[in-house]
Amino acid sequence: MKVTVTKYLNVRVGKPSVNAPCYQYLAPGSEIEVGEKLYLGDSYDGMDTWYRDEADNYYWSGGFLLPNATIPTPIYDHLHGKSQHQLVSDWIINQSDEFENQYSLTGVTAGLKSTAGQLTNLYSIVFEVAKKRSSSNNVLPQSIFYKGYKIPVDVEESPETTNLSTPLSLASSISRKGIQGFGTLGIKVLLENQEYVMGCYHVLFPEELRSNQKNTDSHNIRNSSSILYPKKGNEIGEVIKGQLDDWLDIGFMKLNANVSLLDEWETKIGPYGSRYLDYDDEKNQTYVQYWGAGSNNVIVRKVKNIFSKQPINYFKGKVKQTIKGLVVLDGSAKGGDSGAPVFDPNGKFIGVLIASNSKHSYLISLKTIHYNYSKTIKIK
């Protein structure tokens, strides 16, 4: 649509931010073509919406006179889908705790709203419950106001989520010496120029976690630190450190000097580099793949959502931890698959599988690991 500039306006390149590169400005009276959708960005003079043109330039929306001579107002439907998703994710991070306790939720996800069984183009706050109620004194709201926007709400039935370790010893699984808890060998990484294998905290540190110890390093490891690999019939290394918190369930082990491992998935899937999942992966329902010790095969799933908050039951509910920023896949996983590296169709590493219920499986994305643990992690 064509809009008229009403005040001197900087042209921001690449993102809707006052800190984005600016190589020119527009004088009042100038006319330009921009898309009709608004994008959330930096706030200026109390307005945080921006327009975008086809060249990926952004313009603060308060600097225009629109065709109908009105000033932009915060109408949720006018936001681009990416900005709707961003707004919903921000609400989940900052505001969802009180709803989880009040309504006994099994999860909260940023997802497209469903009407009469059909998905719309509007992103909503999806409250997940064990069973929908036809009538109740504790009914979830149909919409929520946040940062001036009226965000729609949806409700979806979803069972409780649990970790994917198993008490059974599997042919290609790993476990701590002397402990009945098995999972999948993780992925080789470089962290601060040291070589490690990265997997799940609850697989590498089950004894610590059962005592509700959620942050472990060499100073507080309980009993043996050795890792067993039944497929090789011997000890292959030792656990080093890891943590379980609001964003992470990851741990690191060090391979013994004489051990050279080539696990099943390395001959079938990757890795061929790494990348971050983004909004387009959810929009296009990108296919991903993994090989887990429980599944014992290459499993292909679709990305359902890229931001979910899930209360996870570890060891049959003995320990609980709510984790944010989880990626949701469209099918369940098997016990023993915890720690499986997940790859896109091109073999690029995107995250680590950590949990499942009977409908969905969940992974911690590489982006979340980088932003909440260390950006120095590199895939070998």
Side-chain angles (χ1 to χ4, degrees):
M1 66 177 177
K2 183 175 290 187
V3 292
T4 302
V5 178
T6 59
K7 56 185 70 176
Y8 286 100
L9 190 64
N10 290 320
V11 180
R12 299 293 180 178
V13 179
K15 60 182 180 179
S17 169
V18 295
N19 296 315
C22 175
Y23 302 111
Q24 61 176 315
Y25 66 87
L26 302 175
S30 303
E31 291 187 342
I32 60 170
E33 289 282 343
V34 295
E36 294 185 1
K37 290 291 185 180
L38 290 163
Y39 292 78
L40 287 179
D42 289 351
S43 179
Y44 181 75
D45 263 4
M47 297 182 67
D48 62 357
T49 51
W50 297 63
Y51 286 108
R52 176 181 177 274
D53 65 19
E54 291 185 352
D56 200 32
N57 296 313
Y58 289 85
Y59 309 86
W60 176 62
S61 63
F64 292 120
L65 181 67
L66 299 182
N68 58 4
T70 61
I71 296 175
T73 56
I75 299 175
Y76 186 74
D77 295 23
H78 290 179
L79 291 175
H80 186 275
K82 187 174 183 179
S83 289
Q84 291 178 4
H85 189 281
Q86 177 185 336
L87 189 68
V88 173
S89 299
D90 190 67
W91 182 89
I92 292 174
I93 293 171
N94 296 300
Q95 302 289 326
S96 62
D97 286 357
E98 62 180 275
F99 283 82
E100 290 177 44
N101 299 327
Q102 184 177 353
Y103 296 100
S104 300
L105 302 177
T106 59
V108 189
T109 298
L112 293 175
K113 182 169 178 58
S114 177
T115 301
Q118 298 295 320
L119 292 178
T120 67
N121 292 321
L122 285 180
Y123 272 95
S124 64
I125 299 167
V126 181
F127 289 123
E128 298 170 21
V129 296
K131 187 174 180 59
K132 291 184 180 180
R133 302 175 186 177
S134 56
S135 62
S136 171
N137 294 326
N138 206 21
V139 177
L140 286 158
Q142 294 184 345
S143 59
I144 289 174
F145 283 91
Y146 183 62
K147 293 188 175 180
Y149 295 92
K150 185 180 180 181
I151 304 175
V153 163
D154 209 349
V155 181
E156 178 181 294
E157 287 190 0
S158 182
E160 290 187 340
T161 301
T162 62
N163 64 291
L164 290 169
S165 59
T166 174
L168 301 176
S169 177
L170 304 167
S172 295
S173 60
I174 60 168
S175 70
R176 280 278 289 280
K177 186 176 182 179
I179 298 175
Q180 292 294 308
F182 297 85
T184 301
L185 182 70
I187 187 168
K188 300 181 187 75
V189 300
L190 287 175
L191 171 61
E192 298 170 350
N193 295 318
Q194 295 290 317
E195 293 186 9
Y196 297 100
V197 173
M198 180 175 70
C200 288
Y201 183 86
H202 71 266
V203 172
L204 297 178
F205 299 95
E207 186 173 7
E208 290 79 6
L209 185 53
R210 283 191 175 94
S211 300
N212 213 35
Q213 179 178 311
K214 297 181 179 180
N215 196 317
T216 302
D217 59 24
S218 59
H219 298 96
N220 58 353
I221 292 174
R222 296 168 182 258
N223 298 324
S224 174
S225 63
S226 297
I227 288 289
L228 301 179
Y229 190 49
K231 185 177 180 180
K232 295 288 185 180
N234 55 11
E235 298 179 12
I236 61 169
E238 60 179 357
V239 294
I240 301 297
K241 57 185 175 180
Q243 69 186 63
L244 176 70
D245 59 23
D246 292 349
W247 294 92
L248 299 169
D249 178 353
I250 61 168
F252 298 88
M253 60 172 285
K254 191 87 170 174
L255 293 177
N256 293 336
N258 61 337
V259 172
S260 177
L261 292 180
L262 184 66
D263 212 351
E264 298 284 349
W265 52 264
E266 292 188 83
T267 63
K268 300 174 181 177
I269 304 177
Y272 303 105
S274 62
R275 74 174 181 90
Y276 291 167
L277 288 176
D278 59 22
Y279 167 79
D280 288 333
D281 290 297
E282 178 174 329
K283 181 180 177 182
N284 299 326
Q285 295 190 310
T286 297
Y287 282 95
V288 299
Q289 51 193 337
Y290 65 87
W291 185 97
S295 298
N296 197 29
N297 206 347
V298 175
I299 302 299
V300 178
R301 298 285 188 230
K302 287 191 295 186
V303 173
K304 184 176 184 289
N305 306 102
I306 62 168
F307 195 97
S308 181
K309 181 181 179 183
Q310 294 289 319
I312 299 177
N313 293 309
Y314 291 91
F315 313 124
K316 297 182 179 180
K318 292 180 181 178
V319 179
K320 294 188 177 182
Q321 176 67 50
T322 297
I323 300 182
K324 297 175 281 193
L326 294 174
V327 176
V328 185
L329 305 183
D330 71 342
S332 62
K334 292 187 177 182
D337 285 347
S338 276
V342 185
F343 303 87
D344 74 2
N346 297 315
K348 292 185 181 296
F349 172 73
I350 57 172
V352 176
L353 193 67
I354 68 159
S356 179
N357 55 39
S358 59
K359 295 176 66 175
H360 305 122
S361 44
Y362 301 87
L363 65 93
I364 293 178
S365 70
L366 178 61
K367 182 177 181 179
T368 294
I369 294 170
H370 275 167
Y371 277 72
N372 294 278
Y373 191 81
S374 173
K375 292 185 177 180
T376 67
I377 293 174
K378 297 179 180 179
I379 307 306
K380 282 205 68 182

